[in-house]
Amino acid sequence: MTDRRSFLATLAGLPLLSGVPTRLAARPTDRPAAADPRMPSQIRATGEAFWTELRKEFTLNKDETFFNTGTLGASPKAVQEAVIEHMRHVDRDIARWDYYADHENYFTGYYPEMQYRDRLAAVIGGKGKDVALCQNATFGMNFLANGLEMAPGDEVVATNMDHPGGRKGFDLRAKRQGIVVKEITLPDPATDLTPDQLVDLYLGQTTPKTKLWAIPHINSGRATRFPVERLCAIARERGIFSAVDGAQSIGHLAIDVNAMGCDALYGSPHKWLLAPKGNGVLWVRPDKQAALWSTIASSAWDDQEDRMYALMQMGTGNLSLLVGLGVACDFHRQIGSQKVQERIVGMGDQLREGLRKIPGSKIISPTHRDLTCASTVYGLSGKTGNQIQDFLWDRAKIRVRSMGEIGVRHTCHIYNSPKDVDRTLALLGELART
Ligand SMILES: Cc1ncc(COP(=O)(O)O)c(C=O)c1O
């Protein structure tokens, strides 16, 4: 019991509290005890066996295959347990809360939460003091769109396929304060798109009035991986602020914000980083923080020492979600960002290879090596996205996401296996023949 309690306390980054009953004690007696959650560093197996063992750390139903992390990730047991255990702890032990500065707190909103910022920063190669924690990518984008100094007539370049959570804050500012959003039209399908073309498209909408480039690291509609390093370098040379939407890339690709060269990166760790739902991040380059106004103000809105904490003034929030976020960051880092990327982009490659062999299939995402990732949008001639989605679910409980008429989006993650990809390809081949 004590071991389990210290294990969970360690996961949660909490001091070991006396009198905290374990989850085992609270579990209904009619259910078999689930195995204690493991972190990746506790898995001894190597090669394919490592991934098979890792899959056991997820509670996804065994007969179901989930290929839609692009919408929302499935958290591992360790993350779930940390959140649930902490929520129980808060509601049980709240009377012990004494508000002394160096003692445990029971909610967020009034503290810098440095340990969680540090752990998230470690995933993206940055420093905790340059990270603000928020609810999701939409918050991060809005903090930039609303908080950066821009005058009427100043221009922002964005694409016609940006997710609303990576774009609409700029449209709001345009309508309210007269900035101008210049829109790039991306070629669709994106099959033959090249990195040079993407760079030219940004430059083509850029004028002396351009103040910001809104760049999706990977866009959600076509799973196009943008050449962010090149784009950010060009933006920097021209004094243009580069705002990268990492909703589809944090936890998917190995990221180092300094190598990327962006001025800001925001994202939704509840997707690829497999964090509890309702976690967001905004990283801002230190020399750009002073010029970024807070959007939501409470006690520390004007904190000059910790500029990113000034962006976290959202009032009372759920600390348990941050406890889970910390564990999700540790879980990811114990596998290693590079290893995750190689594994899941490898399955994306396998999928695209297999699709090329299916008559009537069409890859709608880019096929250029530098623009591909673990997500792929594809179609089958004569079939809608809904038909493909429903066929895979009805036949084999395989969940991909319909993208409407054109086809489906299929995202591979660490709880998927090359065998899952092969099974899906076999079924797609069958559907294509009907
Ligand atoms: C590229 C991109 N940006 C932003 C968002 C918005 O994410 P959230 O709803 O978590 O704020 C999404 C969500 O799918 C996305 O794919």
Side-chain angles (χ1 to χ4, degrees), residues 69-72 135-141 161-167 216-221 245-249 266-272 278-280 401 409:
T69 305
T71 301
L72 200 58
Q135 188 177 322
N136 51 38
T138 304
F139 270 63
M141 176 274 298
M161 285 204 187
D162 289 340
H163 188 285
R167 160 79 191 255
H217 195 174
I218 296 172
N219 70 5
S220 55
D245 177 350
Q248 293 291 339
S249 64
Y266 59 86
S268 288
H270 47 225
K271 294 180 188 280
W272 296 84
N279 270 301
R401 174 167 171 178
R409 186 181 66 190

Side-chain angles (χ1 to χ4, degrees), residues 47 115 201 211 286-287 418:
Q115 68 144 315
L201 284 164
K211 290 285 178 300
D287 63 351

